[in-house]
Each structure stands twice: as C-alpha cells, then as structure tokens.
Amino acid sequence: MSERESMPYDVVIVGGGPAGLAAAIRLKQVNDELEVCVLEKGSEIGAHILSGAVVDPRALDELLPEWREQDCPLAEVPVTENHHWMLSRSGKFDMPHFALPPFMSNDGNYTGSLGNLCRWLGEKAEEMGVEIFPGFPASEVLFDENGAVMGVATQDMGVAADGSQKADYQPGMELHAKYTLFAEGARGHLTKRMKAHFDLEAECQPQVYGLGIKELWDIDPAKHVPGRVIHTQGWPLSESDSWGGGFLYHQAGGQVALGFVTALDYANPYVFPFEEFQRWKHHPAIREVLEGGKRVSYGARAINEGGWQSVPQLAFPGGALIGCSAGFVNVPRIKGTHTAMKSGMLAADAAAAAIVGEREKDALDEYDTAVRSSWIADELSRVRNAQPLVSKFGGALGTVLAGADMWMRTLKIGLPYTMKHETDAAKTGRADLYKKIEYPKPDGVISFDRLSSVFLSGTNHEEDQPCHLVLKDPTIPEKVNLPVYAGPEARYCPAGVYEFVEDDNGIEQLVINAQNCVHCKTCDIKDPTQNIEWVTPEGGGGPNYPNM
C-alpha cells in the first residue's frame, strides 16, 4: 500500500462504456471545472465493447443533440426494415409488424458498432477535459475511515504467475474521489463486491443473464440491405431445453453483424451456447445471407436479463452503480445502451449537484430516486414480466404470454404482480437427468470452432501473470462439476478457456486456458457451484474488438 501513488479527482468512473462516458460528458457539461477521470480495462476505449447493436438514440439526443451532424459513426445507418422471424428447423414465419407491441418497433433507431460509438464518445469527453486511462483496470475499492468508498486502486503491473514481482513491476495507482461511479458492464467484479458489501440486492430479485455471441461478416454486396434488422427465435434452442434468439443486422461497409443470445438459466447442462450459434447459422434463411461472405470478427459478452425487478439499490456511501453494472437492459427490445447512458447522466447530475453543495462520499440517494421516476423506470416496468414468463413457460407458450402481458401494459393493464427470478447457476440440472447433445462438426465455411473464433477476437493476455479466473476451491471441478453436471464449464465458455484433460493416471483434471478469455463473465455467472470468480487481469489484456 505504501508504495502506491495517489491522484485526487472529483469523480472517478470505472468503465469506459456508454454509461461511463455519458456520465463523464454530462459532468463536464454541468460543471466544466470538475476533475473527472475514466478508467478502462481494455487497451483502448471500445476494445472490450460488444453489442448487436441497434441503438435507440433517446439518451444520445438528450446528451449531445447535434450528434448526427458531428460525424458520429452511429448516424451512418438508420434502421430501414424490421423483421421478427419465428424459426423452425428449415422454415420461418415472419411475424407481422402489427402483432408486436408498438414500443418493440425499431423505427427511428440506428444500427452500427457500439465500440465505435464509444470511441466517438471518448473523443468528445477528452475534448471537454475528461482524463481517460485505457489499459488500467480498477482492481480494488478503497474505503475511508467511515466505511465510505473513497476511490479505487488500479491493478499492479508486472506480477508473475507465482505472485512474485517481475523486473518491470509497477504498483497500481490509487485514484481518490468525492464520488466513484461503477460502470463496469454486466457482472462487474467490483460491482459484485459492492453489492455484497452494502447489501444492495436486499430488496430486489437476483440478476439473471444471457450469453451473447457475435460475429461480423463481409457479405456479397448484392445481399446487403443497409438498415435491415432481423431478430429470430425458436429453432435451434427449441430443441435443447433452452431459450433465447438470434439477430442479423445489415450495417455500414457491406457488413452484417449477426449473433445469438442463449439465456443462461438453461437446465440441461449439455447445452453448448457456442454450438447452438453455429447450428443457427446453418438455418436456410441465415445461411443464404452468409454464403459467399467472409467472417471477419468474433466476440462474446454476458447480458443482463433480470429487468426492473433485478435493479438493486443504486447509491451507497461514496459510490453509485450505473449502466449494466446496475442492469437496465430492456430484454424484449434487446436494448440497453440508451438506458445505460441515461442512468449515467442522472448519476452525473446528482454528483455534480452534491459537489457544488460541498458534499462528498455520502450516498447519492437523489440519483436512485431520479432513476426510479425517469423514463428508464417507465420502459423497464412495462416489460418486467417478459423474461420470467418465457423462462417459466418456455419459448413458445412463454412468448405468447409475454406478448399478451406487454400488449396489456400498453393499454395500462397487465399481470397484477411482478414475477420473480432464480439465479442461473441454481437452475442448472444434474447431467443424469438429460441426454447428451451431439452437435455437428463445423464446416469451416459457415460454422467454426472456438479456437479459430477466439483468434478473430484479438484476445491476448500476458502469460506469466496470476490467473484471473480464481477457483475458490480447486477440488470442486473434479469432485462435483464433472460427476454431477458433466463438466459444464467446458461448454458454457465461448472461448474454450476450460477443458477437462486426462492426466498420466487417466483421471480428468480441469485445465484453465486463461489467455483465451474474452471477458464475457459467463463462468462467474453459470458455474453451478459458484466456485469461479472472475477478477481483473493485467491491464490491456483480453479482446481487442476493432468494430464490434
């Protein structure tokens, strides 16, 4: 501790995604004398950002009204077509637009790279005087003598795998702040600690998640329709005791962004989300778009799916949760950027006002109140039963019930109660209750294996460093996960980090290939024994997404 240097700020923001950057910009808009810094664990702003993405510009319009005329990359492709396909193994039904609740429409939205939007927002923030430190993950929360958050410390650099200091060792930096905003995204590791430390989830449902896996393809120009947005549900998850859906967005530069979300509450431990995505690409309607094209990028990320009932207490002494750290994704719309940005703006307003009032390191309760009386609350409350209805009753019946509830809420009525959640880890079933799923081998044209996919993510970690995937009990994988659940970590990870390998005595042992990790956080979420904890690796490690 004594060898760390420290730097004082008015506000420290942990995470350079849309929520964190919106907060930083808003702080400088309100009071340009505020000292604001953003810590980003990726090698640059946008390096770890992955989303579909079809973005509702509502919050962006509020933050920077002239963004369309300021060379913002998102403005390039407005949505021109909106399709929702119900897939069977070989066919599809294009659900009529009028059958969907009006708020499900993508009219007025834009499709593009969320990473590039964040790069643009980062430039705007820096122009306003925000200090941004990429490659510096926050690894520890600092508390003052009264127990309030007083900032964070960045990860030590140059630590060897055995814990010793290498020749290039550099201790982390302490960043002290009057208020610290946590904008780490879904399942942030410091956010997780703050939730436990301050018991922020005492009055809400547990957060639940989906795993989103995404690819970018250059496709035949004759097949490219800029602004065409397609969402799918049904096959292949209808065959594997799970649910979720796919997306295919025609974006700039002759590219399509396509991906697949598997809800992580699946019970069958043999479900393999990566392979379900590969199967989905072979559906005739999807394969038709991809044939003759080339895959150019790959990545994966966990997505909050808990909805309004899973939003925790947002403020605590010295800090607040914003964006996906808190969980503001509208699951039926598959959108969270606009709500994340709005939450960051509301937190910025509260922090700026508190600092002007000579407050510091107290709870920004006015931020929590502002969120719960904002359009974030209106939007998420309207769809709060959609995810649990599908989870409880399955993709077919659950979708009908969720649609009915959303339509009724459009008419100011609906189910008279809010449904509850159970954690994704707890929903995992015993392997002996299920039949093993045989997935087809990749053809190397439409479908691929995980290792070649991870290569396209640009993922890299310094090999000689402590493993950032920590087993609380190293014996659990072999004693419990393998015999009871058939070793699900070898399947739920979209990067091939976990594998069971026979030792010289023919006994299977878990091997962790941490250098492959794309920071999706699925292992931290889905491990049935909750034995795996994701912590920050050395700065700049992980994926380097160029256009995701």
Side-chain angles (χ1 to χ4, degrees):
M1 286 288 189
S2 60
E3 55 185 332
R4 285 177 176 165
E5 296 182 6
S6 65
M7 297 175 64
Y9 289 93
D10 289 305
V11 181
V12 167
I13 300 169
V14 181
L21 294 169
I25 290 170
R26 185 56 158 250
L27 283 163
K28 298 297 279 188
Q29 287 176 335
V30 174
N31 183 351
D32 64 5
E33 294 183 1
L34 291 175
E35 295 292 331
V36 181
C37 88
V38 175
L39 293 175
E40 167 54 42
K41 66 184 176 68
S43 60
E44 64 170 355
I45 292 291
H48 288 180
I49 298 294
L50 180 145
S51 179
V54 172
V55 177
D56 182 334
R58 184 173 186 177
L60 192 54
D61 286 339
E62 293 181 13
L63 182 68
L64 297 165
E66 307 300 320
W67 66 272
R68 293 172 183 81
E69 291 76 46
Q70 295 179 344
D71 296 321
C72 178
L74 187 66
E76 191 171 350
V77 184
V79 173
T80 58
E81 298 180 17
N82 189 41
H83 300 275
H84 191 102
W85 293 349
M86 306 295 293
L87 301 184
S88 62
R89 175 179 285 273
S90 59
K92 67 178 175 66
F93 170 71
D94 196 347
M95 185 175 292
H97 201 61
F98 66 80
L100 299 172
F103 59 80
M104 294 289 287
S105 171
N106 281 307
D107 292 345
N109 296 335
Y110 294 79
T111 182
S113 163
L114 186 59
N116 288 342
L117 173 60
C118 288
R119 291 180 176 94
W120 182 83
L121 288 171
E123 292 172 0
K124 292 295 180 185
E126 288 185 315
E127 289 171 4
M128 301 174 78
V130 175
E131 295 184 33
I132 298 179
F133 300 114
F136 286 89
S139 63
E140 179 185 344
V141 179
L142 305 175
F143 298 91
D144 69 9
E145 64 277 6
N146 297 316
V149 173
M150 58 173 283
V152 294
T154 63
Q155 184 86 352
D156 293 345
M157 305 285 280
V159 178
D162 62 4
S164 63
Q165 297 177 5
K166 296 188 286 188
D168 60 349
Y169 171 77
Q170 291 184 340
M173 175 79 72
E174 290 190 0
L175 294 103
H176 298 170
K178 296 172 182 175
Y179 295 101
T180 304
L181 305 182
F182 294 85
E184 299 178 287
R187 198 71 168 194
H189 91 290
L190 294 185
T191 297
K192 209 169 90 166
R193 294 176 186 180
M194 291 301 92
K195 285 181 175 180
H197 184 82
F198 291 106
D199 198 16
L200 302 180
E201 294 182 304
E203 298 182 4
C204 72
Q205 291 296 302
Q207 186 61 257
V208 294
Y209 302 85
L211 170 60
I213 304 176
K214 177 184 175 182
E215 294 176 349
L216 286 180
W217 284 64
D218 292 329
I219 65 166
D220 181 347
K223 300 178 181 179
H224 191 258
V225 183
R228 175 178 286 172
V229 166
I230 299 168
H231 293 107
T232 79
Q233 66 182 96
W235 188 88
L237 293 178
S238 55
E239 297 181 356
S240 63
D241 194 31
S242 50
W243 66 277
F247 63 85
L248 197 155
Y249 307 151
H250 291 245
Q251 299 181 337
Q255 288 189 330
V256 293
L258 66 150
F260 201 76
V261 179
T262 303
L264 289 176
D265 63 354
Y266 59 82
N268 185 343
Y270 290 113
V271 167
F272 199 149
F274 176 86
E275 295 295 351
E276 295 291 344
F277 176 38
Q278 303 309 310
R279 291 179 73 201
W280 175 80
K281 287 189 291 178
H282 279 283
H283 188 280
I286 305 300
R287 189 178 64 236
E288 180 183 15
V289 177
L290 302 181
E291 286 177 334
K294 179 183 179 182
R295 186 177 70 148
V296 296
S297 192
Y298 170 87
R301 190 71 176 91
I303 304 165
N304 294 304
E305 291 192 341
W308 188 238
Q309 57 267 56
S310 295
V311 173
Q313 178 182 327
L314 300 173
F316 44 92
L321 306 181
I322 64 175
C324 284
S325 281
F328 296 119
V329 173
N330 183 322
V331 177
R333 295 187 73 199
I334 323 178
K335 289 176 178 58
T337 299
H338 63 306
T339 48
M341 291 180 66
K342 180 63 174 178
S343 71
M345 294 155 62
L346 292 172
D349 288 340
I355 292 169
V356 168
E358 299 185 347
R359 292 164 48 195
E360 61 178 89
K361 293 185 288 188
D362 59 357
L364 295 170
D365 293 327
E366 57 271 42
Y367 159 59
D368 193 299
T369 300
V371 167
R372 297 179 195 279
S373 60
S374 71
W375 54 255
I376 296 175
D378 293 339
E379 180 172 329
L380 296 188
S381 181
R382 191 182 302 172
V383 300
R384 64 183 180 268
N385 284 330
Q387 190 278 351
L389 280 167
V390 178
S391 177
K392 182 176 180 63
F393 295 104
L397 177 58
T399 297
V400 172
L401 295 174
D405 186 56
M406 288 189 291
W407 262 114
M408 287 191 293
R409 292 189 186 281
T410 301
L411 303 172
K412 308 301 182 183
I413 55 177
L415 293 177
Y417 54 85
T418 299
M419 296 183 67
K420 298 181 179 180
H421 296 305
E422 187 178 358
T423 67
D424 297 316
K427 294 291 280 288
T428 310
R430 301 196 325 257
D432 62 352
L433 301 177
Y434 298 90
K435 182 179 178 181
K436 186 176 180 180
I437 301 171
E438 298 293 340
Y439 290 97
K441 292 183 178 180
D443 63 7
V445 179
I446 300 295
S447 52
F448 304 90
D449 61 28
R450 282 186 292 185
L451 292 185
S452 65
S453 300
V454 172
F455 176 79
L456 289 179
S457 71
T459 296
N460 184 56
H461 293 87
E462 171 62 46
E463 290 194 25
D464 186 17
Q465 65 172 299
C467 182
H468 68 279
L469 302 162
V470 180
L471 299 180
K472 299 172 186 176
D473 181 345
T475 69
I476 290 292
E478 292 83 12
K479 286 186 176 180
V480 180
N481 285 8
L482 188 59
V484 178
Y485 303 103
E489 51 267 69
R491 291 179 294 278
Y492 59 57
C493 174
V497 169
Y498 303 94
E499 58 179 335
F500 286 91
V501 178
E502 286 190 3
D503 62 16
D504 294 338
N505 298 316
I507 299 173
E508 289 189 287
Q509 301 287 331
L510 181 67
V511 174
I512 301 177
N513 305 301
Q515 65 273 18
N516 289 358
C517 179
V518 295
H519 298 197
C520 72
K521 313 292 182 65
T522 303
C523 56
D524 195 297
I525 297 164
K526 186 58 177 173
D527 180 54
T529 51
Q530 288 293 275
N531 188 50
I532 301 173
E533 183 174 14
W534 191 100
V535 299
T536 51
E538 192 165 289
N544 280 283
Y545 298 135
N547 194 32
M548 298 284 265

